[in-house]
Amino acid sequence: MNILQDKWQIAPSPLIPQWFLTIVKLYTPNSEGKHVAKILWQRGIQHKDQLMSFIDADAYHPTSPFAFGEEMKWAVKRLKRAYENREKVTIWGDFDADGITSTSVLWEGLGQFFLPHLQLDYYIPNRITESHGLNCQGIKKLAISGTRLVVTCDTGSTNLTEIDYANELGIDIIVTDHHVLPDTRPPVTAIINPRYFSTNHSLFNLSGVAVAYKLIEAFYQELPNIPQEPLEQLLDLVAIGLIADLVELKGDCRYLAQKGIRCLHKQQQFKTRPGIAKLLELCKKNGDRPTDISYGIGPRINAISRIYGDATFGVELLTSRDIKLCHELAFKTELANTRRKEIQQRVYKDVKNKLSKIDLSTVKAIVLKDTQWDSGVLGLVAGKIAQEYSRPTILLTIIETDNEDEVKGIKMLRGSARSVNQIDLYKLLDYHKNLLHRFGGHPFAVGLSLPLKNLTLFREGINQQLRQKLDHITYLKATIEVDLIVTVVDLGQDLFRELKLLEPCGIGNSIPKILIQNCWFDNVFSNNIEDRTKNKIQYIKTTFEIHDFSTDKGFPGVWWEHYKDELPFDKLQDTIVELYFNSYYKRYEVRLIAIRDCVDNVELNQNTNNNNYLLDWRNKKYKEDFQKVNTQIQILQECPNSWDELLTIYHQTQQKKIKLALAYDSPKYINSIEVWQQLLGIAKYYSRTNEVVNIKQIKTRLELSNYTLKIGLETLYELGFNYNKIEEKFQFRWIKKIANNAQKQVSKFLEIVDEEQFQHKYFSEVSLEYINKKIYINNKKE
């Protein structure tokens, strides 16, 4: 959850054409498909061909690998020459999940043409001692070993110095990468990088593993009679790398991920990759969903280099058919992931402690260092802090290196940076590259190193640049987009299967966020997770059952990295959750994303003028112009001294609005559900403020007779609200847990209100009291 006030935004309900619903229904036979149809339409999937290719990979037409043009032709030509001349080829990979799967794809794909370990080898830099990208020390080793061609994967685009060094040693380089491009083309045999395409091209979002796959696909087409294994056998590896690297899954990315997940599930069934099969077993996943990668396989592969530094055995884990070896490596990987969680939690707490001592009102970007932080988890922690504090976050640790690519004998900082709110972190760092030793990555995730002596200038420069370019409002709130509003009774298999049509989800196609209103929690427990030896790990989770008025049964859920004491028990809540299937317990659950009190929480985005504004009183012309288009605006004549003071003013304004609504003595007709919602809102508001409300105002505003009001008060009591009558006023208090039969009582109240409104034109108030009493007695008998 965000440390600042989250803004919840509900997308407007679109009018969806029948042809669209008909197609969606074909893929959701157990439900009407209206929920997923709404989300698809909201996300811009509004044409038949677009819809079909999105939900059905078999309807998509993948782009040819030769769309990369001359660069792909040059790469294939050079590989063909190496094959014909029996040259030694080395794959230069990277140590994260995308890099390891890229290396594995090239290892198996090129292994159909070159003898493994004799003509073909791979090299993965050590995360701790070498960091990302090419380095001269490693290139020198490859030259000594007889390598004449290096094929990079997931790296290499900006390593201009290292490429020049390789050329001097007589080594040709083919770069396959997806990171930011240099200003000029590097002096390589070929560079295959989708960033040369326009942003709307179907190949633009390919990750490193997908680019590597495209190279193998092209080489298969050039020499179709050589390979003994089908190209499609590599797709499970492609899916793992794509999803783990968090690229936008659209175009060929989505197609490859969809096909790859099918392949992964099939591989799991037949255990053709014993290493992956064992990983799925250890993380209690089936291999049939993208989350089995994002929450299972992906973090475990990433943990190898985070803990051990050397990730070389990750390729063996993914590609070896030796069952005993794969099981040993899988257990080693699982141990690394367990250790990673503990270290990550410790560093996270340390960062939070440092931030508690900083005046964040003066900070636009968080830049922190510590000698004790483990560099392997800094990216994970930076990402979490960036989301919580809504600021770009750079975390650094001190290293002292003798690597000849570094500055010898000088204390260096190395770390990771993560962005938020669409701030291009790569451009931000590029502006200050004179203070950095090395950096590289994406607009939202960057690795970097710099001399310790430059840190102060670097921190001040980053913050100054952001102050000049960004409005301070960027940092006040993070927005959570709500896709659906449902009740607890809607949760379960049918809704899950319907929403599964959106998978694989990721950037640009997020997991659906589901809003549940007026809910509460039961059977709440907190505990640390356990490793495979049943030892407790300092990584907390809270389990619960979520309830609302739609059913007497609760629905299971989990809240990761939070304690049970953080869940409110004294009032109703609105919550945002994600629905998923727990393959270990074989049941559907929700994952809690955000929570807050259910009064005045959600800002509806129905294309109206319901925005909140902060205006400068000194600009009177602006003030007058704005009031012409928004007569409900409140202008403060004095600037608040703090954000808390501003929130207090806001809540005072909301109180005035409620009181004005109650004072309104000419109400229009409202239905029974609206009556109930307003009555419940009044009880919640006045129980929270400890104020009293006039009984006549309630009756007039809601058009309630004495008897109907009495039934309404009894219904509120079933929901945990008590009331005291003080002269002609009520004082409400929240006193107890909600009763199990609360929903039934609400239904009775609605029935009485409906009957009262129906009879209103034909009976006096005395007659209405008699009719309502008869209804109430009949309900009691039932």
Side-chain angles (χ1 to χ4, degrees):
M1 284 178 36
N2 199 291
I3 216 73
L4 304 171
Q5 283 276 322
D6 284 332
K7 177 181 174 183
W8 296 9
Q9 195 168 58
I10 303 176
S13 295
L15 183 62
I16 303 173
Q18 187 58 47
W19 67 263
F20 193 92
L21 292 169
T22 301
I23 293 175
V24 172
K25 183 71 173 68
L26 294 174
Y27 292 88
T28 58
N30 296 320
S31 64
E32 295 180 7
K34 60 180 181 180
H35 294 307
V36 72
K38 172 187 174 184
I39 297 173
L40 286 166
W41 191 270
Q42 287 170 345
R43 295 184 178 181
I45 312 297
Q46 299 178 358
H47 303 286
K48 183 177 179 181
D49 291 343
Q50 185 186 19
L51 174 63
M52 292 300 298
S53 62
F54 185 89
I55 62 181
D56 187 352
D58 293 331
Y60 182 82
H61 300 291
T63 308
S64 167
F66 288 100
F68 282 97
E70 292 299 315
E71 297 287 355
M72 183 64 80
K73 293 178 182 178
W74 293 334
V76 169
K77 182 179 179 180
R78 181 64 183 90
L79 283 171
K80 186 177 180 181
R81 193 175 88 206
Y83 168 73
E84 292 171 345
N85 296 334
R86 296 294 186 259
E87 296 178 73
K88 183 173 182 180
V89 179
T90 298
I91 303 158
W92 188 294
D94 197 24
F95 43 70
D96 64 4
D98 191 26
I100 292 175
T101 52
S102 300
T103 306
S104 300
V105 164
L106 291 178
W107 177 248
E108 289 198 347
L110 294 179
Q112 297 295 307
F113 304 88
F114 302 91
L115 291 173
H117 301 295
L118 293 176
Q119 296 173 299
L120 183 67
D121 211 339
Y122 59 87
Y123 183 94
I124 297 178
N126 187 295
R127 184 179 200 130
I128 297 172
T129 61
E130 296 177 87
S131 192
H132 293 278
L134 296 167
N135 63 73
C136 293
Q137 193 173 16
I139 291 172
K140 184 177 180 180
K141 292 178 182 177
L142 298 187
I144 294 172
S145 72
T147 295
R148 287 294 170 261
L149 174 63
V150 167
V151 181
T152 77
C153 52
D154 195 34
T155 194
S157 292
T158 57
N159 295 138
L160 303 183
T161 301
E162 292 78 9
I163 291 169
D164 285 338
Y165 181 67
N167 289 337
E168 291 174 9
L169 298 179
I171 296 176
D172 292 334
I173 292 183
I174 296 172
V175 170
T176 72
D177 193 11
H178 70 122
H179 294 96
V180 176
L181 292 164
D183 295 333
T184 58
R185 184 186 181 278
V188 294
T189 299
I191 177 169
I192 304 169
N193 189 320
R195 288 189 173 271
Y196 282 115
F197 294 118
S198 63
T199 56
N200 61 354
H201 195 281
S202 58
L203 298 178
F204 178 79
N205 292 293
L206 296 184
S207 73
V209 69
V211 178
Y213 177 83
K214 284 295 183 182
L215 175 61
I216 298 301
E217 182 181 6
F219 202 30
Y220 264 56
Q221 291 180 16
E222 180 69 18
L223 298 174
N225 298 322
I226 305 300
Q228 301 298 306
E229 298 292 340
L231 179 68
E232 292 73 21
Q233 185 174 288
L234 303 173
L235 285 172
D236 55 340
L237 299 174
V238 176
I240 293 171
L242 270 171
I243 293 170
D245 207 48
L246 301 177
V247 295
E248 188 170 357
L249 297 176
K250 59 188 292 188
D252 275 54
C253 274
R254 179 174 177 83
Y255 166 78
L256 290 171
Q258 287 173 312
K259 287 285 191 177
I261 290 168
R262 291 184 197 173
C263 183
L264 178 64
H265 186 49
K266 184 177 179 182
Q267 299 276 23
Q268 173 66 358
Q269 289 177 312
F270 296 101
K271 311 295 183 187
T272 51
R273 292 192 188 274
I276 292 178
K278 193 62 180 179
L279 280 182
L280 286 168
E281 179 187 322
L282 291 171
C283 62
K284 305 177 180 66
K285 306 292 184 183
N286 297 323
D288 61 341
R289 297 197 61 219
T291 50
D292 293 353
I293 296 169
S294 55
Y295 293 112
I297 298 174
R300 282 160 174 78
I301 296 174
N302 279 321
I304 297 173
S305 63
R306 297 186 194 280
I307 300 305
Y308 302 122
D310 184 2
T312 303
F313 78 78
V315 178
E316 287 185 277
L317 172 66
L318 299 182
T319 61
S320 175
R321 270 46 175 184
D322 185 327
I323 295 176
K324 182 180 179 181
L325 173 63
C326 286
H327 284 191
E328 290 175 357
L329 296 178
F331 286 130
K332 188 176 180 181
T333 302
E334 183 70 15
L335 181 64
N337 192 52
T338 300
R339 177 69 177 145
R340 184 270 305 173
K341 290 179 181 179
E342 290 183 304
I343 296 172
Q344 179 182 339
Q345 194 69 4
R346 186 173 69 244
V347 173
Y348 171 72
K349 289 180 179 178
D350 199 12
V351 172
K352 295 273 285 186
N353 182 53
K354 287 179 182 290
L355 289 173
S356 68
K357 301 172 184 177
I358 297 175
D359 180 6
L360 290 173
S361 65
T362 65
V363 174
K364 299 302 180 186
I366 295 170
V367 183
L368 297 174
K369 71 166 176 66
D370 194 285
T371 58
Q372 301 301 314
W373 289 344
D374 190 308
S375 61
V377 300
L378 293 185
L380 297 171
V381 178
K384 189 173 179 182
I385 294 295
Q387 291 296 324
E388 287 188 16
Y389 289 84
S390 200
R391 289 163 168 81
T393 299
I394 303 171
L395 301 181
L396 303 157
T397 189
I398 297 175
I399 58 170
E400 195 156 357
T401 178
D402 293 324
N403 190 322
E404 66 180 39
D405 286 0
E406 306 285 348
V407 183
K408 290 185 178 179
I410 293 180
K411 282 192 174 180
M412 300 288 291
L413 295 171
R414 181 185 292 162
S416 296
R418 296 294 183 267
S419 191
V420 73
N421 294 339
Q422 302 302 309
I423 297 171
D424 191 325
L425 199 54
Y426 189 92
K427 286 185 179 179
L428 195 64
L429 267 63
D430 188 57
Y431 188 81
H432 300 279
K433 61 185 177 183
N434 61 306
L435 298 173
L436 303 176
H437 177 59
R438 298 178 71 172
F439 77 101
H442 308 280
F444 304 113
V446 176
L448 71 156
S449 63
L450 71 156
L452 175 60
K453 63 181 181 180
N454 291 353
L455 177 61
T456 301
L457 284 175
F458 176 70
R459 182 189 286 121
E460 291 174 354
I462 290 287
N463 276 279
Q464 182 179 0
Q465 188 180 4
L466 286 176
R467 288 189 194 99
Q468 293 171 351
K469 290 189 174 183
L470 300 174
D471 190 285
H472 70 283
I473 281 292
T474 305
Y475 297 102
L476 294 182
K477 290 183 182 181
T479 299
I480 302 178
E481 302 284 349
V482 175
D483 296 293
L484 292 174
I485 303 176
V486 304
T487 59
V488 171
V489 75
D490 298 318
L491 301 173
Q493 185 182 76
D494 288 349
L495 181 59
F496 174 83
R497 288 181 174 176
E498 189 174 326
L499 298 181
K500 198 171 184 288
L501 208 60
L502 295 167
E503 294 182 351
C505 295
I507 296 174
N509 180 45
S510 61
I511 298 174
K513 300 296 183 292
I514 301 170
L515 174 62
I516 302 173
Q517 298 172 304
N518 296 313
C519 61
W520 64 96
F521 301 93
D522 200 1
N523 296 325
V524 181
F525 299 97
S526 292
N527 60 283
N528 289 309
I529 64 175
E530 297 178 344
D531 63 16
R532 57 183 299 269
T533 61
K534 302 300 181 182
N535 291 322
K536 295 286 185 181
I537 304 169
Q538 293 302 310
Y539 199 84
I540 198 69
K541 72 172 181 178
T542 293
T543 58
F544 57 82
E545 284 188 352
I546 188 170
H547 296 257
D548 70 0
F549 304 125
S550 66
T551 176
D552 293 335
K553 296 181 179 179
F555 194 83
V558 63
W559 199 15
W560 286 100
E561 298 184 62
H562 289 273
Y563 291 88
K564 67 177 183 179
D565 295 339
E566 298 177 65
L567 282 178
F569 292 97
D570 59 343
K571 48 192 168 184
L572 296 172
Q573 300 293 308
D574 286 347
T575 63
I576 294 176
V577 300
E578 295 173 353
L579 181 63
Y580 75 107
F581 181 72
N582 187 320
S583 56
Y584 181 71
Y585 291 111
K586 307 297 182 186
R587 68 182 186 187
Y588 298 95
E589 295 180 350
V590 292
R591 184 181 294 110
L592 184 57
I593 303 300
I595 182 171
R596 57 172 56 164
D597 296 347
C598 62
V599 179
D600 296 328
N601 297 341
V602 182
E603 179 177 333
L604 294 175
N605 179 19
Q606 302 289 356
N607 295 323
T608 62
N609 242 354
N610 288 338
N611 296 314
N612 295 321
Y613 296 92
L614 296 176
L615 300 182
D616 190 337
W617 171 257
R618 294 168 295 183
N619 190 338
K620 294 186 177 181
K621 177 66 171 66
Y622 179 75
K623 174 201 72 173
E624 292 165 0
D625 290 344
F626 197 90
Q627 283 182 307
K628 290 177 182 178
V629 297
N630 193 329
T631 57
Q632 297 184 354
I633 189 172
Q634 180 186 10
I635 298 180
L636 308 180
Q637 299 189 37
E638 295 182 4
C639 180
N641 294 318
S642 67
W643 181 247
D644 289 339
E645 184 179 336
L646 185 60
L647 288 176
T648 300
I649 295 170
Y650 169 76
H651 287 306
Q652 289 172 348
T653 305
Q654 297 303 106
Q655 292 174 16
K656 290 178 183 177
K657 288 180 180 178
I658 291 178
K659 290 178 179 178
L660 283 172
L662 285 170
Y664 182 58
D665 55 5
S666 300
K668 62 182 180 179
Y669 174 78
I670 52 178
N671 64 37
S672 59
I673 295 177
E674 290 172 327
V675 170
W676 167 242
Q677 289 175 338
Q678 292 194 30
L679 181 61
L680 180 61
I682 290 168
K684 288 188 289 186
Y685 171 75
Y686 283 97
S687 67
R688 190 173 73 245
T689 60
N690 292 320
E691 297 180 11
V692 294
V693 56
N694 189 285
I695 297 173
K696 185 177 179 180
Q697 286 180 324
I698 298 177
K699 290 173 60 180
T700 302
R701 177 62 184 164
L702 303 182
E703 294 184 314
L704 298 177
S705 66
N706 290 331
Y707 192 78
T708 309
L709 178 59
K710 176 177 179 294
I711 302 303
L713 294 172
E714 291 178 2
T715 306
L716 289 172
Y717 182 81
E718 293 295 323
L719 296 178
F721 292 98
N722 200 358
Y723 68 95
N724 293 324
K725 186 175 181 182
I726 305 173
E727 295 180 349
E728 293 302 315
K729 297 179 179 179
F730 284 144
Q731 182 180 45
F732 290 97
R733 289 189 302 119
W734 176 271
I735 59 168
K736 66 174 186 176
K737 181 179 169 183
I738 298 169
N740 290 331
N741 63 339
Q743 178 60 30
K744 190 174 182 181
Q745 182 68 26
V746 172
S747 298
K748 291 179 180 179
F749 174 73
L750 296 177
E751 181 182 351
I752 292 172
V753 173
D754 281 334
E755 182 66 23
E756 182 171 290
Q757 291 179 342
F758 180 76
Q759 298 287 347
H760 193 271
K761 294 181 181 180
Y762 308 105
F763 295 91
S764 66
E765 185 171 335
V766 175
S767 300
L768 285 170
E769 295 287 345
Y770 174 77
I771 292 169
N772 288 331
K773 191 169 184 180
K774 292 290 288 182
I775 294 172
Y776 182 71
I777 292 171
N778 289 336
N779 285 330
K780 282 285 188 181
K781 289 179 180 179
E782 292 176 5

